[in-house]
Amino acid sequence: MDKIHIGRNVLDHQLLDSDGRRCGNVDDLALEGNEVVAIHVGPGYWQRRAGLLGRVAGFIGGSNRVRIPWSEVEKVDAAVRLRRPAPEYGLGKIDDRLRPYLERVPGAKR
Amino acid sequence: MSKLLNLALGILAAIGGFVDIGDLVFNTAAGATFGYQLLWVIPVGVLGIIVYSEMSGRVAAVSEKAVFDAVRERTGFAAGLSALLASEVVNLLTLAAEIGGVAIALQLLAGLPYRVLLVLAVVALAVVVWTLQLEWIERVFGYGGLCLVVFAVAAVKLGPDWAKTGNGFIPHIAQNNSWLYLYFAVGLLGAAMTPYEVYFYSSGGIEDRWTAEDIGLNRANAIVGYALGGFLSIALMIVGASVFLRHGINPEHLGTIALGAEQPLGKIGLLLAVVGILFAVGGAAIDTVFSGAYNLAQFFGWEWGRYRHPAGAPRFALTWVFLLVAALAIVLTGVDPVMLTEYAVIFSAVALPLTYIPILLVANDPEYMGRHVNGRLANVLGLGYLIVIMVIAIAAIPLMIITNVGQN
């Protein structure tokens, strides 16, 4: 895992939890010196990445910020894979909150 | 044997699914205005969509990235967000136009008021997408869309001038009314290379869990499906030339296009044409609404997928519901779907480079593609079409203004 290019192989890549669930993209990285110490996920990090458009997107998306220590990254391949299920990091909350409502509609669980 | 049958069935569905409202409007109008002179643009557009669909399908198979994964990874958050915004706007316009088209086809069959049918159409599409598996959706709408083959029969029966038809395939520029001619050329290319088809195709590859072993299948799908679909476009243009140009009719209404099949084939021709338009445009509406939801989910990393039940990917499901409602709101204002189609196709020509450039970059990146990077043929064609796309992206809006959206 020491031979990956952080800018190209991690930033803006898909996050998958231990169950293979898609749970966000890597929106930002926390650096200490030359070392990546954490992954930042959530609309709260969009503002600093895309000027005015990013601020508008952040405003719509909300201020949620999730920080995941780099030690929680199991491996990096096509996606960035985490060691544990998404809820343990506070990821995928919106989908989890919406799900019970959708399940009430017939056919939602075909 | 059953594998071959499956492939054949898939190809049939692809032919029926190729034509959408943009192809219907631009091919017929081009035929009605310039006769056979713009026929050569159709194979150019079809080859373009083959090249980029094959590339995006190969990227999906080998690197597990759909188009908007690649867009964000390769262009970054800021540029990617602009590309996302542009494609969502174009997608929504396209969706609204397709829904309008469904309602017009229903109106020809059922005769209820247009606005009632718009609401019915959206409710029906939502129920279909919510409950049916995509495999079935593709089959039902694909086979229904095959009724459009009636236009090929009509084209032959009308006895077109075959010498002139042949000459139409030689690239040239019309002497009179060159601006309008160029406007139609851009529209035909835009309609053939609609970006939503590429989004849908590559995301479908991920959903079907393609691997590097499937790149042969991917190539066959892209080439055969789109090439045969292109024949329907040719048929539409010949019908436009033989029926409408001959009688000086401008097919401004979607229903008029169906009359092109009635003239040589009678009532049964008309019925098949309307049913074909209904299913082709309805299927395209479903592809478009999925594409809009795919793009958003991929860019933001949400769970997505039509093979998951709606509750398995809540934000993805709510996105397509929202897009349907937003598109309904647009057409309920009473804006003419044919006009909306022209705007959607011209703006999609402007947005094309934003999605095709990242695909070309990723397809050339050995880190993503390993030994399946673009070969020389894919790169020559890919770069060639990128130049074509850049030219039409720059020319599209000025041409739209000069020709008053094709009205002069």
Side-chain angles (χ1 to χ4, degrees), chain A residues 8-9 12-14 22 24-25 27 46 78 95 99 106 108 110, chain B residues 65 72-73 130 299-301 303-304 306 309-311 315 365 367:
Chain A
R8 281 170 63 101
N9 300 110
D12 290 319
H13 280 238
Q14 178 78 53
R22 296 186 180 99
N25 271 1
D27 291 314
W46 294 347
D95 274 351
R99 187 167 298 111
R110 109 187 132 230
Chain B
K65 311 281 183 192
R72 181 161 173 187
E73 288 173 18
W130 190 276
F299 189 85
F300 292 117
E303 190 59 273
W304 55 270
R306 59 202 188 202
H309 47 76
R315 276 181 287 187
D365 189 337
E367 221 175 297

PDB file of all heavy atoms in Angstrom, chain A residues 8-9 12-14 22 24-25 27 46 78 95 99 106 108 110, chain B residues 65 72-73 130 299-301 303-304 306 309-311 315 365 367:
ATOM      1  N   ARG A   8      -3.840  10.686  -7.358  1.00  0.00           N
ATOM      2  CA  ARG A   8      -4.500  10.027  -8.494  1.00  0.00           C
ATOM      3  C   ARG A   8      -5.324   8.817  -8.088  1.00  0.00           C
ATOM      4  O   ARG A   8      -6.312   8.495  -8.731  1.00  0.00           O
ATOM      5  CB  ARG A   8      -3.452   9.597  -9.521  1.00  0.00           C
ATOM      6  CG  ARG A   8      -2.982  10.726 -10.402  1.00  0.00           C
ATOM      7  CD  ARG A   8      -1.785  10.271 -11.206  1.00  0.00           C
ATOM      8  NE  ARG A   8      -2.134   9.180 -12.094  1.00  0.00           N
ATOM      9  CZ  ARG A   8      -2.355   9.333 -13.387  1.00  0.00           C
ATOM     10  NH1 ARG A   8      -2.280  10.520 -13.919  1.00  0.00           N
ATOM     11  NH2 ARG A   8      -2.640   8.306 -14.132  1.00  0.00           N
ATOM     12  N   ASN A   9      -4.909   8.121  -7.038  1.00  0.00           N
ATOM     13  CA  ASN A   9      -5.582   6.857  -6.719  1.00  0.00           C
ATOM     14  C   ASN A   9      -6.551   6.943  -5.547  1.00  0.00           C
ATOM     15  O   ASN A   9      -7.279   5.991  -5.288  1.00  0.00           O
ATOM     16  CB  ASN A   9      -4.552   5.765  -6.398  1.00  0.00           C
ATOM     17  CG  ASN A   9      -3.627   5.500  -7.560  1.00  0.00           C
ATOM     18  OD1 ASN A   9      -2.456   5.825  -7.504  1.00  0.00           O
ATOM     19  ND2 ASN A   9      -4.179   4.945  -8.619  1.00  0.00           N
ATOM     20  N   ASP A  12     -11.018  11.815  -4.746  1.00  0.00           N
ATOM     21  CA  ASP A  12     -12.155  11.759  -5.656  1.00  0.00           C
ATOM     22  C   ASP A  12     -12.546  10.336  -6.062  1.00  0.00           C
ATOM     23  O   ASP A  12     -13.317  10.149  -6.996  1.00  0.00           O
ATOM     24  CB  ASP A  12     -11.908  12.600  -6.921  1.00  0.00           C
ATOM     25  CG  ASP A  12     -11.915  14.082  -6.610  1.00  0.00           C
ATOM     26  OD1 ASP A  12     -12.773  14.496  -5.810  1.00  0.00           O
ATOM     27  OD2 ASP A  12     -11.070  14.817  -7.139  1.00  0.00           O
ATOM     28  N   HIS A  13     -12.039   9.348  -5.356  1.00  0.00           N
ATOM     29  CA  HIS A  13     -12.417   7.966  -5.677  1.00  0.00           C
ATOM     30  C   HIS A  13     -13.577   7.494  -4.799  1.00  0.00           C
ATOM     31  O   HIS A  13     -13.864   8.062  -3.750  1.00  0.00           O
ATOM     32  CB  HIS A  13     -11.216   7.034  -5.510  1.00  0.00           C
ATOM     33  CG  HIS A  13     -10.296   7.074  -6.688  1.00  0.00           C
ATOM     34  ND1 HIS A  13      -9.969   5.973  -7.420  1.00  0.00           N
ATOM     35  CD2 HIS A  13      -9.645   8.103  -7.261  1.00  0.00           C
ATOM     36  CE1 HIS A  13      -9.155   6.304  -8.397  1.00  0.00           C
ATOM     37  NE2 HIS A  13      -8.931   7.595  -8.324  1.00  0.00           N
ATOM     38  N   GLN A  14     -14.215   6.429  -5.265  1.00  0.00           N
ATOM     39  CA  GLN A  14     -15.347   5.827  -4.573  1.00  0.00           C
ATOM     40  C   GLN A  14     -14.892   5.174  -3.273  1.00  0.00           C
ATOM     41  O   GLN A  14     -13.866   4.501  -3.239  1.00  0.00           O
ATOM     42  CB  GLN A  14     -15.964   4.766  -5.488  1.00  0.00           C
ATOM     43  CG  GLN A  14     -17.123   4.009  -4.904  1.00  0.00           C
ATOM     44  CD  GLN A  14     -18.398   4.831  -4.942  1.00  0.00           C
ATOM     45  OE1 GLN A  14     -18.793   5.329  -5.979  1.00  0.00           O
ATOM     46  NE2 GLN A  14     -19.028   4.985  -3.794  1.00  0.00           N
ATOM     47  N   ARG A  22     -21.486   1.248  -1.458  1.00  0.00           N
ATOM     48  CA  ARG A  22     -20.944   2.553  -1.856  1.00  0.00           C
ATOM     49  C   ARG A  22     -21.343   3.575  -0.805  1.00  0.00           C
ATOM     50  O   ARG A  22     -22.529   3.737  -0.524  1.00  0.00           O
ATOM     51  CB  ARG A  22     -21.499   2.977  -3.210  1.00  0.00           C
ATOM     52  CG  ARG A  22     -21.089   2.074  -4.356  1.00  0.00           C
ATOM     53  CD  ARG A  22     -21.577   2.662  -5.681  1.00  0.00           C
ATOM     54  NE  ARG A  22     -21.201   1.831  -6.807  1.00  0.00           N
ATOM     55  CZ  ARG A  22     -22.017   0.961  -7.404  1.00  0.00           C
ATOM     56  NH1 ARG A  22     -23.244   0.812  -6.963  1.00  0.00           N
ATOM     57  NH2 ARG A  22     -21.596   0.253  -8.432  1.00  0.00           N
ATOM     58  N   GLY A  24     -19.993   7.056  -0.382  1.00  0.00           N
ATOM     59  CA  GLY A  24     -19.403   8.382  -0.546  1.00  0.00           C
ATOM     60  C   GLY A  24     -18.146   8.352  -1.397  1.00  0.00           C
ATOM     61  O   GLY A  24     -17.675   7.277  -1.785  1.00  0.00           O
ATOM     62  N   ASN A  25     -17.656   9.540  -1.711  1.00  0.00           N
ATOM     63  CA  ASN A  25     -16.390   9.656  -2.422  1.00  0.00           C
ATOM     64  C   ASN A  25     -15.385  10.347  -1.508  1.00  0.00           C
ATOM     65  O   ASN A  25     -15.766  11.030  -0.569  1.00  0.00           O
ATOM     66  CB  ASN A  25     -16.570  10.497  -3.691  1.00  0.00           C
ATOM     67  CG  ASN A  25     -16.953   9.659  -4.887  1.00  0.00           C
ATOM     68  OD1 ASN A  25     -17.098   8.442  -4.781  1.00  0.00           O
ATOM     69  ND2 ASN A  25     -17.132  10.293  -6.014  1.00  0.00           N
ATOM     70  N   ASP A  27     -13.648  13.183  -0.593  1.00  0.00           N
ATOM     71  CA  ASP A  27     -13.820  14.576  -0.983  1.00  0.00           C
ATOM     72  C   ASP A  27     -12.585  15.422  -0.680  1.00  0.00           C
ATOM     73  O   ASP A  27     -12.379  16.475  -1.268  1.00  0.00           O
ATOM     74  CB  ASP A  27     -15.045  15.171  -0.267  1.00  0.00           C
ATOM     75  CG  ASP A  27     -16.344  14.565  -0.787  1.00  0.00           C
ATOM     76  OD1 ASP A  27     -16.477  14.473  -2.019  1.00  0.00           O
ATOM     77  OD2 ASP A  27     -17.201  14.175   0.009  1.00  0.00           O
ATOM     78  N   TRP A  46     -16.835  20.383   0.384  1.00  0.00           N
ATOM     79  CA  TRP A  46     -16.891  20.737  -1.039  1.00  0.00           C
ATOM     80  C   TRP A  46     -16.496  22.177  -1.296  1.00  0.00           C
ATOM     81  O   TRP A  46     -15.906  22.484  -2.329  1.00  0.00           O
ATOM     82  CB  TRP A  46     -18.300  20.503  -1.594  1.00  0.00           C
ATOM     83  CG  TRP A  46     -18.705  19.071  -1.603  1.00  0.00           C
ATOM     84  CD1 TRP A  46     -17.891  17.990  -1.414  1.00  0.00           C
ATOM     85  CD2 TRP A  46     -20.025  18.554  -1.796  1.00  0.00           C
ATOM     86  NE1 TRP A  46     -18.624  16.834  -1.477  1.00  0.00           N
ATOM     87  CE2 TRP A  46     -19.928  17.148  -1.708  1.00  0.00           C
ATOM     88  CE3 TRP A  46     -21.270  19.123  -2.029  1.00  0.00           C
ATOM     89  CZ2 TRP A  46     -21.034  16.319  -1.863  1.00  0.00           C
ATOM     90  CZ3 TRP A  46     -22.368  18.308  -2.184  1.00  0.00           C
ATOM     91  CH2 TRP A  46     -22.249  16.916  -2.086  1.00  0.00           C
ATOM     92  N   ALA A  78      -9.689  -0.304  -7.387  1.00  0.00           N
ATOM     93  CA  ALA A  78     -10.512   0.601  -8.196  1.00  0.00           C
ATOM     94  C   ALA A  78     -11.224   1.593  -7.278  1.00  0.00           C
ATOM     95  O   ALA A  78     -11.534   2.713  -7.661  1.00  0.00           O
ATOM     96  CB  ALA A  78     -11.516  -0.187  -9.026  1.00  0.00           C
ATOM     97  N   ASP A  95     -29.068   7.739   3.240  1.00  0.00           N
ATOM     98  CA  ASP A  95     -29.732   6.577   2.651  1.00  0.00           C
ATOM     99  C   ASP A  95     -30.429   5.745   3.736  1.00  0.00           C
ATOM    100  O   ASP A  95     -31.550   5.287   3.558  1.00  0.00           O
ATOM    101  CB  ASP A  95     -28.717   5.693   1.898  1.00  0.00           C
ATOM    102  CG  ASP A  95     -28.512   6.166   0.463  1.00  0.00           C
ATOM    103  OD1 ASP A  95     -29.270   7.046   0.023  1.00  0.00           O
ATOM    104  OD2 ASP A  95     -27.599   5.653  -0.211  1.00  0.00           O
ATOM    105  N   ARG A  99     -34.503   5.048   3.790  1.00  0.00           N
ATOM    106  CA  ARG A  99     -34.922   3.698   3.415  1.00  0.00           C
ATOM    107  C   ARG A  99     -36.274   3.284   3.982  1.00  0.00           C
ATOM    108  O   ARG A  99     -37.126   2.791   3.232  1.00  0.00           O
ATOM    109  CB  ARG A  99     -33.829   2.687   3.795  1.00  0.00           C
ATOM    110  CG  ARG A  99     -34.123   1.279   3.287  1.00  0.00           C
ATOM    111  CD  ARG A  99     -32.925   0.364   3.371  1.00  0.00           C
ATOM    112  NE  ARG A  99     -31.831   0.831   2.548  1.00  0.00           N
ATOM    113  CZ  ARG A  99     -30.693   1.309   3.003  1.00  0.00           C
ATOM    114  NH1 ARG A  99     -30.483   1.374   4.296  1.00  0.00           N
ATOM    115  NH2 ARG A  99     -29.756   1.714   2.170  1.00  0.00           N
ATOM    116  N   PRO A 106     -45.271   0.047  -2.131  1.00  0.00           N
ATOM    117  CA  PRO A 106     -45.261  -1.318  -2.684  1.00  0.00           C
ATOM    118  C   PRO A 106     -44.243  -1.446  -3.824  1.00  0.00           C
ATOM    119  O   PRO A 106     -44.101  -0.517  -4.626  1.00  0.00           O
ATOM    120  CB  PRO A 106     -46.690  -1.494  -3.218  1.00  0.00           C
ATOM    121  CG  PRO A 106     -47.504  -0.454  -2.549  1.00  0.00           C
ATOM    122  CD  PRO A 106     -46.596   0.671  -2.204  1.00  0.00           C
ATOM    123  N   ALA A 108     -41.027  -1.619  -3.577  1.00  0.00           N
ATOM    124  CA  ALA A 108     -39.706  -1.059  -3.309  1.00  0.00           C
ATOM    125  C   ALA A 108     -38.690  -2.135  -2.947  1.00  0.00           C
ATOM    126  O   ALA A 108     -37.488  -1.894  -2.972  1.00  0.00           O
ATOM    127  CB  ALA A 108     -39.781  -0.020  -2.193  1.00  0.00           C
ATOM    128  N   ARG A 110     -38.579  -5.379  -4.288  1.00  0.00           N
ATOM    129  CA  ARG A 110     -38.848  -6.508  -5.187  1.00  0.00           C
ATOM    130  C   ARG A 110     -37.725  -7.539  -5.154  1.00  0.00           C
ATOM    131  O   ARG A 110     -36.592  -7.237  -4.840  1.00  0.00           O
ATOM    132  CB  ARG A 110     -39.081  -5.953  -6.588  1.00  0.00           C
ATOM    133  CG  ARG A 110     -38.007  -6.237  -7.563  1.00  0.00           C
ATOM    134  CD  ARG A 110     -38.187  -5.548  -8.866  1.00  0.00           C
ATOM    135  NE  ARG A 110     -36.897  -4.931  -9.177  1.00  0.00           N
ATOM    136  CZ  ARG A 110     -36.739  -3.681  -9.538  1.00  0.00           C
ATOM    137  NH1 ARG A 110     -37.758  -2.898  -9.618  1.00  0.00           N
ATOM    138  NH2 ARG A 110     -35.550  -3.212  -9.801  1.00  0.00           N
TER     139      ARG A 110
ATOM    140  N   LYS B  65     -15.061   1.577 -13.690  1.00  0.00           N
ATOM    141  CA  LYS B  65     -15.483   2.980 -13.570  1.00  0.00           C
ATOM    142  C   LYS B  65     -16.548   3.301 -14.601  1.00  0.00           C
ATOM    143  O   LYS B  65     -16.352   3.061 -15.790  1.00  0.00           O
ATOM    144  CB  LYS B  65     -14.309   3.931 -13.845  1.00  0.00           C
ATOM    145  CG  LYS B  65     -13.042   3.611 -13.101  1.00  0.00           C
ATOM    146  CD  LYS B  65     -13.111   4.084 -11.693  1.00  0.00           C
ATOM    147  CE  LYS B  65     -11.769   3.793 -11.011  1.00  0.00           C
ATOM    148  NZ  LYS B  65     -11.855   3.978  -9.571  1.00  0.00           N
ATOM    149  N   ARG B  72     -14.968  12.576 -12.532  1.00  0.00           N
ATOM    150  CA  ARG B  72     -14.518  13.203 -11.287  1.00  0.00           C
ATOM    151  C   ARG B  72     -13.056  12.871 -10.989  1.00  0.00           C
ATOM    152  O   ARG B  72     -12.288  13.730 -10.569  1.00  0.00           O
ATOM    153  CB  ARG B  72     -15.410  12.755 -10.133  1.00  0.00           C
ATOM    154  CG  ARG B  72     -14.973  13.414  -8.853  1.00  0.00           C
ATOM    155  CD  ARG B  72     -15.987  13.435  -7.764  1.00  0.00           C
ATOM    156  NE  ARG B  72     -15.332  13.953  -6.558  1.00  0.00           N
ATOM    157  CZ  ARG B  72     -15.881  13.981  -5.367  1.00  0.00           C
ATOM    158  NH1 ARG B  72     -17.109  13.551  -5.204  1.00  0.00           N
ATOM    159  NH2 ARG B  72     -15.224  14.453  -4.340  1.00  0.00           N
ATOM    160  N   GLU B  73     -12.675  11.620 -11.213  1.00  0.00           N
ATOM    161  CA  GLU B  73     -11.305  11.247 -10.894  1.00  0.00           C
ATOM    162  C   GLU B  73     -10.295  11.958 -11.782  1.00  0.00           C
ATOM    163  O   GLU B  73      -9.214  12.321 -11.341  1.00  0.00           O
ATOM    164  CB  GLU B  73     -11.134   9.728 -11.029  1.00  0.00           C
ATOM    165  CG  GLU B  73     -11.838   8.977  -9.915  1.00  0.00           C
ATOM    166  CD  GLU B  73     -11.820   7.479 -10.130  1.00  0.00           C
ATOM    167  OE1 GLU B  73     -10.994   7.003 -10.938  1.00  0.00           O
ATOM    168  OE2 GLU B  73     -12.626   6.783  -9.499  1.00  0.00           O
ATOM    169  N   TRP B 130     -40.264   1.608 -11.323  1.00  0.00           N
ATOM    170  CA  TRP B 130     -40.262   1.192  -9.913  1.00  0.00           C
ATOM    171  C   TRP B 130     -40.419  -0.313  -9.784  1.00  0.00           C
ATOM    172  O   TRP B 130     -39.788  -0.938  -8.946  1.00  0.00           O
ATOM    173  CB  TRP B 130     -41.398   1.912  -9.163  1.00  0.00           C
ATOM    174  CG  TRP B 130     -41.337   1.743  -7.683  1.00  0.00           C
ATOM    175  CD1 TRP B 130     -41.822   0.698  -6.948  1.00  0.00           C
ATOM    176  CD2 TRP B 130     -40.737   2.634  -6.737  1.00  0.00           C
ATOM    177  NE1 TRP B 130     -41.572   0.891  -5.615  1.00  0.00           N
ATOM    178  CE2 TRP B 130     -40.903   2.068  -5.451  1.00  0.00           C
ATOM    179  CE3 TRP B 130     -40.076   3.866  -6.844  1.00  0.00           C
ATOM    180  CZ2 TRP B 130     -40.435   2.686  -4.289  1.00  0.00           C
ATOM    181  CZ3 TRP B 130     -39.618   4.476  -5.683  1.00  0.00           C
ATOM    182  CH2 TRP B 130     -39.793   3.883  -4.432  1.00  0.00           C
ATOM    183  N   PHE B 299     -21.066  10.741  -9.199  1.00  0.00           N
ATOM    184  CA  PHE B 299     -20.231  11.896  -8.853  1.00  0.00           C
ATOM    185  C   PHE B 299     -20.105  12.048  -7.343  1.00  0.00           C
ATOM    186  O   PHE B 299     -19.041  12.378  -6.829  1.00  0.00           O
ATOM    187  CB  PHE B 299     -20.804  13.179  -9.470  1.00  0.00           C
ATOM    188  CG  PHE B 299     -19.880  14.353  -9.331  1.00  0.00           C
ATOM    189  CD1 PHE B 299     -18.864  14.568 -10.253  1.00  0.00           C
ATOM    190  CD2 PHE B 299     -19.986  15.226  -8.257  1.00  0.00           C
ATOM    191  CE1 PHE B 299     -17.985  15.633 -10.116  1.00  0.00           C
ATOM    192  CE2 PHE B 299     -19.111  16.289  -8.112  1.00  0.00           C
ATOM    193  CZ  PHE B 299     -18.109  16.496  -9.048  1.00  0.00           C
ATOM    194  N   PHE B 300     -21.194  11.806  -6.614  1.00  0.00           N
ATOM    195  CA  PHE B 300     -21.167  12.008  -5.165  1.00  0.00           C
ATOM    196  C   PHE B 300     -20.913  10.715  -4.387  1.00  0.00           C
ATOM    197  O   PHE B 300     -20.869  10.728  -3.162  1.00  0.00           O
ATOM    198  CB  PHE B 300     -22.461  12.677  -4.700  1.00  0.00           C
ATOM    199  CG  PHE B 300     -22.588  14.090  -5.180  1.00  0.00           C
ATOM    200  CD1 PHE B 300     -23.607  14.472  -6.031  1.00  0.00           C
ATOM    201  CD2 PHE B 300     -21.647  15.042  -4.805  1.00  0.00           C
ATOM    202  CE1 PHE B 300     -23.701  15.779  -6.485  1.00  0.00           C
ATOM    203  CE2 PHE B 300     -21.729  16.351  -5.257  1.00  0.00           C
ATOM    204  CZ  PHE B 300     -22.756  16.723  -6.104  1.00  0.00           C
ATOM    205  N   GLY B 301     -20.753   9.607  -5.085  1.00  0.00           N
ATOM    206  CA  GLY B 301     -20.402   8.366  -4.412  1.00  0.00           C
ATOM    207  C   GLY B 301     -21.556   7.659  -3.724  1.00  0.00           C
ATOM    208  O   GLY B 301     -21.346   6.818  -2.867  1.00  0.00           O
ATOM    209  N   GLU B 303     -24.795   5.105  -3.243  1.00  0.00           N
ATOM    210  CA  GLU B 303     -25.191   3.785  -3.734  1.00  0.00           C
ATOM    211  C   GLU B 303     -26.107   3.978  -4.941  1.00  0.00           C
ATOM    212  O   GLU B 303     -26.961   4.873  -4.944  1.00  0.00           O
ATOM    213  CB  GLU B 303     -25.930   3.039  -2.618  1.00  0.00           C
ATOM    214  CG  GLU B 303     -26.184   1.581  -2.908  1.00  0.00           C
ATOM    215  CD  GLU B 303     -24.906   0.809  -3.153  1.00  0.00           C
ATOM    216  OE1 GLU B 303     -24.451   0.778  -4.307  1.00  0.00           O
ATOM    217  OE2 GLU B 303     -24.360   0.235  -2.197  1.00  0.00           O
ATOM    218  N   TRP B 304     -25.895   3.201  -6.005  1.00  0.00           N
ATOM    219  CA  TRP B 304     -26.760   3.326  -7.174  1.00  0.00           C
ATOM    220  C   TRP B 304     -26.971   1.974  -7.808  1.00  0.00           C
ATOM    221  O   TRP B 304     -26.249   1.015  -7.517  1.00  0.00           O
ATOM    222  CB  TRP B 304     -26.204   4.312  -8.202  1.00  0.00           C
ATOM    223  CG  TRP B 304     -24.804   4.053  -8.682  1.00  0.00           C
ATOM    224  CD1 TRP B 304     -23.657   4.550  -8.122  1.00  0.00           C
ATOM    225  CD2 TRP B 304     -24.389   3.272  -9.808  1.00  0.00           C
ATOM    226  NE1 TRP B 304     -22.563   4.138  -8.821  1.00  0.00           N
ATOM    227  CE2 TRP B 304     -22.969   3.350  -9.868  1.00  0.00           C
ATOM    228  CE3 TRP B 304     -25.067   2.533 -10.774  1.00  0.00           C
ATOM    229  CZ2 TRP B 304     -22.224   2.698 -10.864  1.00  0.00           C
ATOM    230  CZ3 TRP B 304     -24.318   1.885 -11.762  1.00  0.00           C
ATOM    231  CH2 TRP B 304     -22.933   1.978 -11.793  1.00  0.00           C
ATOM    232  N   ARG B 306     -29.927  -0.062 -10.829  1.00  0.00           N
ATOM    233  CA  ARG B 306     -31.318  -0.412 -11.101  1.00  0.00           C
ATOM    234  C   ARG B 306     -31.576  -1.862 -10.721  1.00  0.00           C
ATOM    235  O   ARG B 306     -32.707  -2.267 -10.564  1.00  0.00           O
ATOM    236  CB  ARG B 306     -31.599  -0.210 -12.573  1.00  0.00           C
ATOM    237  CG  ARG B 306     -30.681  -1.065 -13.401  1.00  0.00           C
ATOM    238  CD  ARG B 306     -30.489  -0.619 -14.795  1.00  0.00           C
ATOM    239  NE  ARG B 306     -29.736  -1.685 -15.451  1.00  0.00           N
ATOM    240  CZ  ARG B 306     -29.014  -1.535 -16.532  1.00  0.00           C
ATOM    241  NH1 ARG B 306     -28.940  -0.367 -17.101  1.00  0.00           N
ATOM    242  NH2 ARG B 306     -28.380  -2.544 -17.069  1.00  0.00           N
ATOM    243  N   HIS B 309     -33.252  -3.104  -5.627  1.00  0.00           N
ATOM    244  CA  HIS B 309     -34.617  -2.574  -5.553  1.00  0.00           C
ATOM    245  C   HIS B 309     -34.511  -1.125  -5.096  1.00  0.00           C
ATOM    246  O   HIS B 309     -33.485  -0.723  -4.530  1.00  0.00           O
ATOM    247  CB  HIS B 309     -35.465  -3.435  -4.631  1.00  0.00           C
ATOM    248  CG  HIS B 309     -34.803  -3.757  -3.337  1.00  0.00           C
ATOM    249  ND1 HIS B 309     -34.688  -2.837  -2.319  1.00  0.00           N
ATOM    250  CD2 HIS B 309     -34.180  -4.877  -2.915  1.00  0.00           C
ATOM    251  CE1 HIS B 309     -34.040  -3.384  -1.320  1.00  0.00           C
ATOM    252  NE2 HIS B 309     -33.710  -4.617  -1.653  1.00  0.00           N
ATOM    253  N   PRO B 310     -35.578  -0.322  -5.336  1.00  0.00           N
ATOM    254  CA  PRO B 310     -35.471   1.107  -5.017  1.00  0.00           C
ATOM    255  C   PRO B 310     -35.015   1.373  -3.587  1.00  0.00           C
ATOM    256  O   PRO B 310     -34.251   2.303  -3.344  1.00  0.00           O
ATOM    257  CB  PRO B 310     -36.896   1.619  -5.253  1.00  0.00           C
ATOM    258  CG  PRO B 310     -37.459   0.697  -6.277  1.00  0.00           C
ATOM    259  CD  PRO B 310     -36.851  -0.649  -6.003  1.00  0.00           C
ATOM    260  N   ALA B 311     -35.457   0.553  -2.637  1.00  0.00           N
ATOM    261  CA  ALA B 311     -35.063   0.792  -1.253  1.00  0.00           C
ATOM    262  C   ALA B 311     -33.587   0.479  -1.018  1.00  0.00           C
ATOM    263  O   ALA B 311     -33.007   0.896  -0.023  1.00  0.00           O
ATOM    264  CB  ALA B 311     -35.928  -0.040  -0.306  1.00  0.00           C
ATOM    265  N   ARG B 315     -31.255   7.282  -2.378  1.00  0.00           N
ATOM    266  CA  ARG B 315     -31.060   8.587  -3.011  1.00  0.00           C
ATOM    267  C   ARG B 315     -31.090   8.473  -4.528  1.00  0.00           C
ATOM    268  O   ARG B 315     -31.571   9.354  -5.220  1.00  0.00           O
ATOM    269  CB  ARG B 315     -29.731   9.208  -2.563  1.00  0.00           C
ATOM    270  CG  ARG B 315     -29.872   9.928  -1.235  1.00  0.00           C
ATOM    271  CD  ARG B 315     -28.582  10.563  -0.818  1.00  0.00           C
ATOM    272  NE  ARG B 315     -27.625   9.569  -0.390  1.00  0.00           N
ATOM    273  CZ  ARG B 315     -26.450   9.866   0.162  1.00  0.00           C
ATOM    274  NH1 ARG B 315     -26.082  11.125   0.308  1.00  0.00           N
ATOM    275  NH2 ARG B 315     -25.633   8.915   0.550  1.00  0.00           N
ATOM    276  N   ASP B 365      -5.110   5.399 -20.191  1.00  0.00           N
ATOM    277  CA  ASP B 365      -4.301   5.380 -18.982  1.00  0.00           C
ATOM    278  C   ASP B 365      -4.014   3.940 -18.575  1.00  0.00           C
ATOM    279  O   ASP B 365      -4.913   3.219 -18.148  1.00  0.00           O
ATOM    280  CB  ASP B 365      -5.079   6.104 -17.879  1.00  0.00           C
ATOM    281  CG  ASP B 365      -4.240   6.321 -16.638  1.00  0.00           C
ATOM    282  OD1 ASP B 365      -3.270   5.560 -16.451  1.00  0.00           O
ATOM    283  OD2 ASP B 365      -4.561   7.235 -15.869  1.00  0.00           O
ATOM    284  N   GLU B 367      -2.711   2.785 -16.047  1.00  0.00           N
ATOM    285  CA  GLU B 367      -2.981   2.535 -14.646  1.00  0.00           C
ATOM    286  C   GLU B 367      -4.415   2.029 -14.450  1.00  0.00           C
ATOM    287  O   GLU B 367      -4.693   1.221 -13.576  1.00  0.00           O
ATOM    288  CB  GLU B 367      -2.782   3.819 -13.853  1.00  0.00           C
ATOM    289  CG  GLU B 367      -2.073   3.589 -12.529  1.00  0.00           C
ATOM    290  CD  GLU B 367      -1.787   4.903 -11.838  1.00  0.00           C
ATOM    291  OE1 GLU B 367      -1.016   5.709 -12.397  1.00  0.00           O
ATOM    292  OE2 GLU B 367      -2.365   5.131 -10.786  1.00  0.00           O
TER     293      GLU B 367
END
